[in-house]
Amino acid sequence: MKKTYIFSGVVLIVIFVLFLSSCSEPSNLGAETHNNSSKPTIQYVATRSDTVQDMLWLADVNKSDIVYDLGSGDGRIVIAAARDFNAQKAIGIEIDPNLIEESRKNAQKAEVTNKVKFIEGDLFTSDFSEASVVNLFLGHKPNLQLRPKLFSTLKPGTRIVSHQFNMGEWQAVKELTVRSVFLGMYGTGESIFSGNSYVPDYTGNELTPRQGDRIFMWVVPAHVAGIWHGEIQTEQGPQELKIILHQNLSEVHGTFELSDENKLEGVTQVDLWGSQIRFWCHPNKFPYGPKELRFDGQVYENTMSGKIITQEGKNKEYTWKAKREKVDYTGTWEWPCATGERSVKLNIERQNGKLIANYQDTKILPVTDFYDFGGGFYFTLLIGRTEQGDFVMTKDSGWLIGEAVLEDGSLKGKIEFYPAGENPMEPNIEPIRKEWKPN
């Protein structure tokens, strides 16, 4: 299968200027160590006890929560969740057997052994899908490597809390600056795109030594991308409402079509929090207010249900239920490369129930940061990274970021290039953003 889309652009590369720290791997600090060279080595640094309280408070941990700490160290976050916040259950995953033993002894002293558990294992491969709260103190790069798993395995509404390190372009819903830190507590990295909030290398809201201690929180969103159909009541009788939603992590936007006599269509503004979704449909040919539709409800897999308000003279509220179209965007999607007279491709396959993507240019690159959002997808890829982890500055190097929904057999969405340029000292080159459209 071959689909062709036109866009142009170049892509970005990252250069790290390392801050001094006591860690051998800047921006990879936390509580988990990996011997596998394909995973980062994350050195253990304990979170201070008062910051532990701040993290659990920010996540609003309560008696209904199942709390996981990934890279749990000596167990202090797990123990505090059970003892001080009365969590239903708290589990720590830690790869160091000595720290596991220390954690169990600490749990005995705190008299919470009936509510906590410590698992010796690799946080990147362990199962933590039952969590309602996940705690992290890992580093910027490990956070990004873990991010696809957080989206694919955690339930919508799960809170994720990270000490000091963010998730790139996935913007936190809550942030807290708690106090000054001690030099040597962590390492960090600086990128020429650290201030660009559109790419995974964004660290602009992280704090450096001397600035303070930062805590971030995110809420895992439902997967809502795709085309939704549902019937609503209007003055002309029942009509079909079609909603097309595009999803970039937690950010959702879209359009709508209403099959009444006016054939209304326009922009859909969306607010998504876990599985709760609200949207406002604004017709193109009318001022704000008249003919608007407002919805407030829940998403469960391929069903959306709730209350919809129609504004036709007098506001009327109805129960509304919609179903999402089933789609298959596996195959090879091809478009002309912006930096040379050749084609590039995105190949998507389904393996063991999951979508696997590869970017094909002069080399085949696995797209590990890929998100299946039900009826659409989102991905990021840093082009220019070698197998050894180095970066090579060329005209083709940089960030490639794309999202699309499958509509009428064609991908429709956006593709973005954030260029690095061939000279690391030259100013940032303006990104190029294009619509994905069939050839």
Side-chain angles (χ1 to χ4, degrees):
M1 179 167 59
K2 182 177 179 180
K3 301 103 174 176
T4 304
Y5 295 83
I6 300 290
F7 60 85
S8 61
V10 278
V11 201
L12 123 89
I13 194 73
V14 182
I15 300 176
F16 288 101
V17 179
L18 304 180
F19 286 97
L20 294 177
S21 89
S22 61
C23 304
S24 60
E25 292 288 334
S27 81
N28 286 351
L29 187 70
E32 190 80 6
T33 303
H34 296 267
N35 295 321
N36 186 337
S37 60
S38 66
K39 300 280 199 319
T41 297
I42 310 171
Q43 298 183 13
Y44 171 56
V45 174
T47 300
R48 293 188 305 278
S49 296
D50 48 358
T51 304
V52 169
Q53 298 291 318
D54 293 328
M55 294 175 71
L56 296 171
W57 172 82
L58 192 66
D60 193 23
V61 172
N62 58 68
K63 63 182 180 181
S64 66
D65 282 316
I66 298 175
V67 178
Y68 270 73
D69 185 17
L70 305 186
S72 53
D74 62 6
R76 61 183 64 191
I77 290 179
V78 173
I79 292 168
R83 180 192 61 207
D84 304 330
F85 289 80
N86 196 29
Q88 176 190 150
K89 184 167 62 173
I91 297 96
I93 299 176
E94 172 58 56
I95 205 167
D96 187 337
N98 294 324
L99 288 172
I100 289 287
E101 182 179 355
E102 182 180 351
S103 299
R104 290 169 178 161
K105 289 179 180 178
N106 291 338
Q108 288 179 341
K109 292 177 183 177
E111 299 180 346
V112 292
T113 53
N114 62 322
K115 297 182 68 175
V116 305
K117 182 179 181 181
F118 295 97
I119 300 170
E120 183 181 339
D122 186 331
L123 62 88
F124 288 94
T125 58
S126 297
D127 180 10
F128 48 85
S129 58
E130 67 171 340
S132 60
V133 177
V134 173
N135 289 278
L136 308 171
F137 182 25
L138 304 174
H140 188 83
K141 183 178 178 181
N143 276 6
L144 293 180
Q145 289 185 307
L146 191 62
R147 193 172 72 172
K149 183 172 182 177
L150 298 173
F151 270 83
S152 64
T153 62
L154 294 175
K155 300 179 292 294
T158 300
R159 290 97 76 200
I160 301 168
V161 182
S162 176
H163 177 202
Q164 202 63 38
F165 302 99
N166 71 20
M167 293 271 189
E169 81 279 21
W170 186 22
Q171 297 297 300
V173 295
K174 293 182 182 179
E175 297 181 20
L176 180 65
T177 302
V178 290
R179 60 188 53 79
S180 297
V181 298
F182 296 101
L183 290 180
M185 276 291 292
Y186 62 89
T188 188
E190 181 68 16
S191 159
I192 58 173
F193 284 88
S194 62
N196 186 342
S197 62
Y198 296 101
V199 301
D201 283 318
Y202 175 62
T203 58
N205 57 353
E206 294 180 359
L207 297 181
T208 61
R210 298 187 180 93
Q211 288 183 306
D213 222 358
R214 184 66 64 88
I215 301 172
F216 302 92
M217 194 194 87
W218 300 262
V219 175
V220 176
H223 299 176
V224 300
I227 302 174
W228 299 81
H229 298 271
E231 190 178 84
I232 68 168
Q233 296 296 323
T234 70
E235 292 178 345
Q236 290 79 41
Q239 305 291 338
E240 181 183 283
L241 175 62
K242 176 182 177 181
I243 304 289
I244 304 174
L245 299 180
H246 294 256
Q247 185 166 1
N248 297 11
L249 302 176
S250 290
E251 180 184 336
V252 182
H253 64 279
T255 58
F256 81 96
E257 299 174 12
L258 181 62
S259 61
D260 66 356
E261 63 181 16
N262 296 312
K263 298 189 181 299
L264 293 180
E265 59 182 19
V267 174
T268 301
Q269 296 179 335
V270 185
D271 179 22
L272 181 64
W273 183 278
S275 61
Q276 182 179 16
I277 184 169
R278 295 174 178 172
F279 61 73
W280 298 262
C281 297
H282 305 285
N284 290 333
K285 298 180 180 179
F286 291 86
Y288 279 83
K291 301 295 184 178
E292 281 189 349
L293 302 172
R294 298 188 180 188
F295 174 78
D296 189 344
Q298 299 284 326
V299 175
Y300 179 72
E301 295 182 347
N302 293 312
T303 301
M304 186 185 301
S305 60
K307 298 291 185 180
I308 195 164
I309 297 175
T310 62
Q311 295 183 262
E312 298 177 298
K314 215 174 188 183
N315 289 355
K316 296 181 180 179
E317 182 178 283
Y318 304 96
T319 298
W320 188 67
K321 188 174 184 178
K323 292 287 186 179
R324 175 164 48 192
E325 288 185 9
K326 293 183 179 180
V327 297
D328 179 11
Y329 32 74
T330 58
T332 300
W333 304 87
E334 181 177 345
W335 65 93
C337 179
T339 58
E341 295 183 359
R342 63 185 188 276
S343 293
V344 293
K345 303 174 183 178
L346 183 69
N347 178 257
I348 305 175
E349 298 179 356
R350 189 170 295 277
Q351 299 179 8
N352 300 320
K354 296 182 179 180
L355 291 179
I356 305 297
N358 290 286
Y359 176 76
Q360 301 175 9
D361 190 1
T362 55
K363 295 181 179 180
I364 297 178
L365 302 175
V367 182
T368 57
D369 197 38
F370 186 91
Y371 303 83
D372 178 8
F373 286 134
F377 62 83
Y378 173 85
F379 73 91
T380 77
L381 176 66
L382 179 60
I383 300 174
R385 190 196 311 273
T386 68
E387 293 181 358
Q388 293 72 34
D390 300 323
F391 293 91
V392 179
M393 299 289 291
T394 72
K395 63 184 178 66
D396 296 318
S397 299
W399 280 107
L400 172 65
I401 298 177
E403 67 83 16
V405 166
L406 192 63
E407 183 180 357
D408 299 326
S410 299
L411 281 184
K412 296 181 181 180
K414 292 183 179 180
I415 198 80
E416 302 178 353
F417 288 91
Y418 293 87
E422 299 181 74
N423 182 357
M425 302 307 293
E426 70 182 9
N428 290 351
I429 302 173
E430 286 295 317
I432 296 179
R433 302 179 174 95
K434 294 289 183 180
E435 300 292 323
W436 266 10
K437 296 180 179 179
N439 206 12

